[in-house]
Amino acid sequence: MDKLKDVIKDSLSETDSPTDSDGLLICEKCGKPKQKKMVLPGRDKPFIVHIPCECEERAERERLEREEKAAAKAKADKMRRECFAASGFYRDCTFETDDGMTPALSSRCRRYADMFDPKEPYGLLLWGSVGTGKSFMSSAIANRVINRGFSALQTDVRSIVNLMESSFENRQRNLDRILGYDLLLIEDLGAQRSTSYMMEHVYSVIDGRYKTGKPMVVTTNFGGDRINGSISDSDDPWSRIFDRILERCYPIRFTGQNRRTIKKEDMRKVMKERLGI
Ligand SMILES: [Zn+2]
């Protein structure tokens, strides 16, 4: 019954729709024609075809925009899973969730991410002591760059070595993959004890990025003597790696309170109260 009512309503509204002097329907909202007459060769009688009015064209544009947005979001979500595969925790580190404790550092990192261009070889070296938010910022950069439609991979020495410790063919394929990302982020460089064999793999990745002119963001706990080049010894494998990095990555020093200590103190305060200590 309701269906029948709808049909009657529709046909009524169709007949109620305004028409132009030729009897063609015009849109009551935008006043533009919704029909036009067409004449086919060899046929005398013109026939009437539907044409989109301004409202329909706008609705179609909006539908396409929604589809494009959804596709871009799906692409970014997929890229994010790939980027943070080795470090899922960092996936939620964004400039929006920044605690605001170091506004100058946040601003520099955000500017880098906002102006990121994969054709530009320069990157960042985030250095400073433990717990100063280097990994958070590096992850926030990755997230912003991915949101802007670029590809990124966050990795560390262990993952690089795992990827490179395979057959020659696979090694080449994995190296090509690492070199293919618009941005490569290497976490905690120098944190673990590394054998010369491991360092060789790390060097080949960093040197590959260097030679292909592709940007990197590197975080490290290494101190200033390493960064300002006062330790530069050709026999020292780290010197060789840092020479390459410092040619392309602008060093930003992370200072300030250790967030881990603050978190520990917060936890103790809460628990002391709860436990009646
Ligand atoms: Zn209209």
Side-chain angles (χ1 to χ4, degrees), residues 164 170-180 204-205 208:
M164 302 295 281
N170 284 342
R171 188 184 308 164
Q172 195 53 48
R173 206 176 49 224
N174 287 335
L175 182 62
D176 289 345
R177 191 168 78 83
I178 293 175
L179 299 185
S204 63
V205 166

Side-chain angles (χ1 to χ4, degrees), residues 127-196:
W127 69 281
S129 43
V130 177
T132 46
K134 300 182 297 293
S135 292
F136 183 95
M137 281 303 158
S138 136
S139 309
I141 291 172
N143 267 310
R144 181 65 62 96
V145 162
I146 288 171
N147 285 345
R148 290 186 51 218
F150 299 110
S151 64
L153 178 73
Q154 187 178 54
T155 186
D156 57 18
V157 170
R158 200 178 313 224
S159 307
I160 289 174
V161 172
N162 282 345
L163 282 177
M164 302 295 281
E165 247 179 1
S166 41
S167 66
F168 180 77
E169 246 172 54
N170 284 342
R171 188 184 308 164
Q172 195 53 48
R173 206 176 49 224
N174 287 335
L175 182 62
D176 289 345
R177 191 168 78 83
I178 293 175
L179 299 185
Y181 285 95
D182 293 327
L183 179 63
L184 182 72
L185 307 106
I186 304 177
E187 287 306 304
D188 259 352
L189 195 65
Q192 300 106 340
R193 264 179 66 93
S194 309
T195 62
S196 58

Side-chain angles (χ1 to χ4, degrees), residues 77-95:
D77 286 347
K78 184 174 172 279
M79 191 68 252
R80 219 182 304 285
R81 279 194 297 277
E82 199 176 314
C83 173
F84 296 107
S87 54
F89 162 74
Y90 292 126
R91 202 181 314 176
D92 300 327
C93 301
T94 62
F95 291 114

Side-chain angles (χ1 to χ4, degrees), residues 203 205-214 244 248:
Y203 183 78
V205 166
I206 289 172
D207 188 55
R209 296 290 297 187
Y210 178 90
K211 282 180 178 151
T212 50
K214 291 214 152 172
R244 277 278 184 258
R248 288 287 163 80

Side-chain angles (χ1 to χ4, degrees), residues 27 29-31 53-56:
C27 174
K29 279 192 209 136
C30 67
C53 68
E54 274 179 8
C55 322
E56 283 173 330

